[in-house]
Amino acid sequence: MRFRFCLKFLLLCWLGVCMTMGGSVVGQALYSRAFGKKTDEPVIFLHGGPGSSAVYFEATTAQKLADKGFYVLIYDRRGEGRSVETDAKMTYDEFFTDLNSIYKTYNITRAHLIGFSFGGLVTALYAEKYPEKVKSIVLVSALVSQQASYHTILDSVERIYRSRQDSANLQALGKVRTMDTLSLAYRTEVFAHASRNGFFSLQNPDPAARRIYATYNTDTLIKAYVKNEQAVGTLWKNEARKNIDTTPVLKKLTQTGMPIYAIYGKQDGLYSKDQIADLQAITGQSRLKYLDNCSHTAFIDQQAQFLEAVGEWLKPGH
């Protein structure tokens, strides 16, 4: 009887009901990992997506940020990356539940949140709902107004197609502009044009960034990562909040005294200069870095400046 009990217990642990190993915690639904000392300032990284993972930040930047005196936590949301869950709903409320579980797992009451890309939307809405749990926000290449970014993409690719006299793509673009802006098809077409024109990547990375990108071919974490291509469709099916603008949320948070910081790249095709100026009006000039030779993955394209800014902003007493 005792043997059967022990065998059952070990099996449950192996399946992920409770397992801690090498700084990683694998729960029933969530993959997560901690870097640094528990006594240091807690920082939680929220990855992009939907359908993506924290793997790129984990593999390239998390430990370096921890070395600056932070307790860095990364995790993959339910149904994304290493947090395999076939029944994930991909709603904001589910995202909040997942983030709350990270606080609980690592025994944290308040933390700084770094919201990358789509993770910026999750970060802003979470901070609005749970302001007592958030010390500050760092938006990194983060979506703020989805429609503003869609307009930026469409206007930019139209200029490209006109300069090439690309009538076929101009015609296709005209059809996109007539679509329902709340539809998944619209979002899909907009990002397809962005990807086709290299809006998410840097054409000429500097040597430091080039060395980091070269590790993608050999890093075991990155090589094992599989994107959930169904995640966006699942969110569109289950979540009522589509094509949102968190500008009012960010303004309200700053009015309550919550510090908001931002790091964006000048070569990131998702954001115009006007969008950056509007965001800077919310954060304040000293709390926004607009980096040259930097596209969407700012923590790689200009890693040294990213680490310097975050280290300065989030140090205790700043």
Side-chain angles (χ1 to χ4, degrees):
M1 180 67 71
R2 179 176 295 178
F3 174 77
R4 290 181 180 177
F5 173 80
C6 291
L7 184 61
K8 183 177 181 181
F9 176 77
L10 290 172
L11 179 60
L12 288 174
C13 288
W14 179 256
L15 290 175
V17 176
C18 56
M19 182 171 72
T20 305
M21 181 180 296
S24 299
V25 176
V26 183
Q28 194 168 14
L30 297 184
Y31 169 93
S32 65
R33 190 176 177 190
F35 298 81
K37 301 176 183 178
K38 293 182 179 180
T39 54
D40 287 339
E41 279 288 294
V43 177
I44 304 175
F45 178 81
L46 284 76
H47 64 78
S52 189
S53 166
V55 66
Y56 297 103
F57 187 83
E58 175 185 359
T60 65
T61 311
Q63 184 59 58
K64 293 180 181 180
L65 182 57
D67 291 342
K68 287 189 168 289
F70 297 100
Y71 186 47
V72 180
L73 306 176
I74 63 92
Y75 74 104
D76 288 351
R77 290 184 296 268
R78 195 180 324 181
E80 303 182 58
R82 284 74 53 90
S83 297
V84 179
E85 173 57 72
T86 57
D87 294 327
K89 303 301 181 186
M90 302 292 174
T91 62
Y92 285 105
D93 287 339
E94 188 175 80
F95 299 155
F96 301 159
T97 298
D98 290 348
L99 184 48
N100 279 333
S101 75
I102 296 299
Y103 276 83
K104 184 177 180 180
T105 297
Y106 292 94
N107 195 27
I108 291 172
T109 55
R110 298 181 70 228
H112 304 280
L113 302 183
I114 297 179
F116 171 64
S117 195
F118 176 79
L121 299 178
V122 181
T123 296
L125 296 181
Y126 181 87
E128 179 185 34
K129 187 169 185 177
Y130 301 101
E132 72 281 1
K133 293 188 172 187
V134 182
K135 290 188 174 186
S136 73
I137 288 173
V138 182
L139 301 174
V140 180
S141 311
L143 288 167
V144 174
S145 167
Q146 287 178 282
Q147 188 56 58
S149 286
Y150 297 157
H151 281 317
T152 293
I153 292 169
L154 293 176
D155 290 346
S156 297
V157 295
E158 181 174 356
R159 287 193 293 271
I160 292 172
Y161 296 150
R162 289 195 182 281
S163 69
R164 297 175 182 169
Q165 297 183 338
D166 188 340
S167 58
N169 269 313
L170 284 170
Q171 185 177 5
L173 206 61
K175 292 180 180 179
V176 175
R177 291 188 184 276
T178 66
M179 297 174 71
D180 177 5
T181 58
L182 296 181
S183 68
L184 176 58
Y186 173 78
R187 189 259 189 199
T188 301
E189 286 298 319
V190 170
F191 278 121
H193 282 280
S195 297
R196 206 172 295 146
N197 289 278
F199 281 16
F200 296 100
S201 58
L202 193 60
Q203 287 188 350
N204 298 298
D206 64 27
R210 197 175 299 117
R211 284 193 295 271
I212 298 172
Y213 282 120
T215 66
Y216 281 22
N217 297 321
T218 57
D219 189 280
T220 55
L221 285 173
I222 294 174
K223 288 179 69 175
Y225 161 60
V226 178
K227 184 176 182 179
N228 180 358
E229 300 291 352
Q230 308 304 315
V232 176
T234 303
L235 181 142
W236 244 256
K237 175 184 176 183
N238 295 322
E239 176 57 66
R241 289 166 284 189
K242 303 179 181 71
N243 209 357
I244 62 176
D245 182 359
T246 60
T247 301
V249 174
L250 297 174
K251 288 180 178 179
K252 183 173 72 173
L253 292 172
T254 58
Q255 290 167 3
T256 65
M258 183 180 294
I260 298 178
Y261 307 97
I263 301 176
Y264 286 76
K266 293 182 180 180
Q267 284 70 44
D268 189 339
L270 272 67
Y271 310 103
S272 67
K273 291 181 180 179
D274 288 341
Q275 286 174 268
I276 300 301
D278 290 343
L279 182 56
Q280 192 170 54
I282 298 172
T283 65
Q285 187 171 359
S286 65
R287 291 180 172 177
L288 187 145
K289 298 289 185 181
Y290 194 31
L291 305 179
D292 197 15
N293 200 25
C294 180
S295 187
H296 196 61
T297 315
F299 56 85
I300 293 178
D301 290 345
Q302 292 298 332
Q303 187 178 81
Q305 292 189 65
F306 168 86
L307 292 170
E308 181 181 6
V310 174
E312 178 67 23
W313 287 336
L314 304 190
K315 68 180 182 181
H318 185 267

